[in-house]
Amino acid sequence: MASASKQPAAKNADENSVRVEIFDQAYNLRGSDAEYILKLAEYVDAKMRAVAEQTHTVDTARLAVLAALNIADEYHLLKRNQDVGTVDYLKRAQHLADALDEVLEEKRRAG
């Protein structure tokens, strides 16, 4: 599992540096939100470990690419679902706006 620690200012002039471990490799990453960086590192670590279990591969570079492909697939599926949801939302909103226009027009005629 990934872990992280804030680097002391004495060791590193950049106070936004976070040390994380992903698949037993240490990385010093910079960012404004250490907790978010840790969360990302944990996610990547979990993906790499899942791929390693499924493929029984020990080549770290191959595992990283396969994990990246899995993450990219998840991203594109979510994006596609969001895009479809947005289109559905816009269609429904237009349908409701049309229905409201009809009701208001009927009221104007009657009133």
Side-chain angles (χ1 to χ4, degrees):
M1 176 176 265
S3 62
S5 63
K6 199 110 163 142
Q7 294 297 319
K11 281 189 168 180
N12 192 339
D14 182 3
E15 292 189 25
N16 293 328
S17 182
V18 179
R19 182 176 174 85
V20 298
E21 275 192 28
I22 301 172
F23 207 72
D24 302 326
Q25 293 289 316
Y27 300 92
N28 289 317
L29 305 174
R30 286 184 292 196
S32 59
D33 187 346
E35 291 300 317
Y36 182 66
I37 292 170
L38 175 58
K39 187 175 180 179
L40 293 176
E42 288 174 345
Y43 188 76
V44 172
D45 182 73
K47 283 291 178 188
M48 287 185 70
R49 291 183 188 285
V51 169
E53 283 182 27
Q54 292 172 353
T55 63
H56 306 292
T57 301
V58 293
D59 180 8
T60 306
R62 183 174 173 82
L63 288 172
V65 169
L66 292 172
L69 287 170
N70 278 303
I71 293 168
D73 180 51
E74 287 177 358
Y75 167 77
H76 284 281
L77 287 173
L78 287 170
K79 185 164 176 23
R80 182 175 30 190
N81 289 339
Q82 180 184 5
D83 292 346
V84 168
T86 299
V87 170
D88 289 344
Y89 168 75
L90 292 173
K91 284 180 184 176
R92 181 159 170 78
Q94 185 60 52
H95 176 72
L96 292 171
D98 292 344
L100 182 58
D101 287 343
E102 284 180 34
V103 169
L104 291 174
E105 185 61 35
E106 288 175 10
K107 277 191 160 188
R108 281 186 216 134
R109 287 183 194 157

